[in-house]
Amino acid sequence: MQKRKEQRLTDLRKILEEQGRVRTRDLAQMLDVTPETLRSDLDLLESQGLIEREHGAARLQVLDKETPLEWRQAENRQEKMQVTIRALQEVKDGDIVFIDAGSTILTALNHLSSRRDLTIVVNSLPAAQSCLDMGFHCLFIGGQMRRSGGHTYGYFAEQMVDNITIDIAILGTTGIEGVDGFSVYRAEEVGIRRHIIRQTRRLVIVMGRHKLNQPGYYRYASFREADLLVTNHLTPEQKKRFSGVRQIVEV
């Protein structure tokens, strides 16, 4: 039941992204749900600040809002699984690994279960729980916490990162369009990533092909800073956009 609701909410958001303002009766028909079910879904999205409701209609909130983690995990799942599984192959026994709070990496975190003596550094509650469930030594980065995604950031998180030497950091990106690098949704999240990059010996970026034409918001790393980019198959023209990356692996 919960999975169906999550998929329905994802479909609802996509309709509003594509069509803008949509009448509620039309939304109910598109989603094949009752008016009562649609009203409940819209109530939830409105409470999260993701949509605005008008008389008999709804539209996406124009503010820069990051969609809930469970929705992002359901989107483009196959692409995310492919790139994450390949990126996690770079992790060796005994490594100190920083795992990004983004949805791309969380889709396949269980593929680290065969590694031994890992220390997983995370600033994400879902990632921390996954690591504990698999029996890894987990180091959680404290700090100010964001409701969407359950991850931490800010001064105290950055100070903690500065006291850790990381063997490999695996980070995602919101998009690359217009920023000539890898980005996050909010300016305040740039800081912790800059500290992670400074403290890591190797920076691996995972990016599904669907991110190619998505806008970048706040750049946290240039292409030149990435040691490895793991992504889906690219055309020669698309690959040129990453000319500064040291190594690109396509899956």
Side-chain angles (χ1 to χ4, degrees):
M1 180 67 72
Q2 182 64 25
K3 186 173 182 180
R4 288 202 299 271
K5 181 174 182 178
E6 290 172 2
Q7 184 59 54
R8 190 173 66 245
L9 290 170
T10 298
D11 293 341
L12 172 55
R13 184 171 57 83
K14 286 182 177 179
I15 291 171
L16 295 176
E17 283 179 347
E18 293 170 358
Q19 301 189 29
R21 182 180 182 275
V22 183
R23 293 183 301 177
T24 51
R25 68 181 182 183
D26 293 336
L27 283 171
Q29 291 177 353
M30 292 176 188
L31 296 168
D32 192 24
V33 296
T34 65
E36 291 76 16
T37 297
L38 178 63
R39 189 179 305 114
S40 174
D41 290 346
L42 292 176
D43 286 343
L44 176 60
L45 299 187
E46 187 176 33
S47 71
Q48 294 174 334
L50 296 170
I51 68 165
E52 293 180 353
R53 291 165 82 171
E54 303 169 357
H55 182 66
R59 63 183 175 87
L60 281 185
Q61 170 64 266
V62 296
L63 296 175
D64 175 26
K65 292 284 185 179
E66 183 178 5
T67 54
L69 176 65
E70 61 269 20
W71 299 9
R72 288 181 279 127
Q73 283 183 281
E75 295 174 336
N76 303 291
R77 189 173 182 84
Q78 188 59 36
E79 286 186 8
K80 292 178 179 181
M81 287 288 288
Q82 290 172 342
V83 298
T84 303
I85 291 170
R86 176 58 184 85
L88 292 177
Q89 291 176 11
E90 299 296 311
V91 176
K92 304 295 189 294
D93 291 347
D95 275 352
I96 298 176
V97 187
F98 181 85
I99 298 293
D100 188 18
S103 63
T104 297
I105 298 172
L106 291 183
T107 57
L109 196 56
N110 63 309
H111 283 263
L112 279 180
S113 60
S114 62
R115 303 297 191 278
R116 296 290 179 266
D117 301 320
L118 294 183
T119 297
I120 310 294
V121 183
V122 296
N123 68 324
S124 157
L125 285 176
Q129 188 60 58
S130 295
C131 291
L132 290 174
D133 290 344
M134 288 184 282
F136 293 129
H137 177 219
C138 181
L139 185 58
F140 183 73
I141 301 295
Q144 188 170 348
M145 181 164 287
R146 181 165 301 287
R147 177 182 176 186
S148 174
H151 56 276
T152 59
Y153 64 97
Y155 173 80
F156 294 107
E158 293 163 7
Q159 291 299 301
M160 188 169 176
V161 169
D162 286 346
N163 288 282
I164 307 168
T165 298
I166 301 167
D167 292 305
I168 179 171
I170 304 178
L171 304 180
T173 181
T174 60
I176 63 169
E177 192 69 34
V179 295
D180 191 32
F182 307 106
S183 69
V184 287
Y185 279 107
R186 295 176 173 84
E188 62 263 30
E189 295 175 10
V190 172
I192 187 170
R193 288 176 180 244
R194 292 306 308 168
H195 284 254
I196 290 163
I197 291 170
R198 187 172 67 192
Q199 293 298 112
T200 191
R201 294 189 173 100
R202 191 158 188 245
L203 175 62
V204 176
I205 305 292
V206 295
M207 187 192 77
R209 184 173 42 233
H210 64 283
K211 297 289 184 70
L212 279 171
N213 297 316
Q214 289 188 7
Y217 291 89
Y218 299 96
R219 189 176 80 166
Y220 70 82
S222 67
F223 292 140
R224 292 190 302 275
E225 290 179 286
D227 296 298
L228 173 65
L229 169 65
V230 183
T231 186
N232 303 112
H233 291 294
L234 305 172
T235 67
E237 195 62 31
Q238 289 171 335
K239 200 167 183 177
K240 288 179 183 178
R241 300 174 68 178
F242 302 100
S243 58
V245 178
R246 294 184 179 90
Q247 181 184 3
I248 300 174
V249 171
E250 300 169 65
V251 294

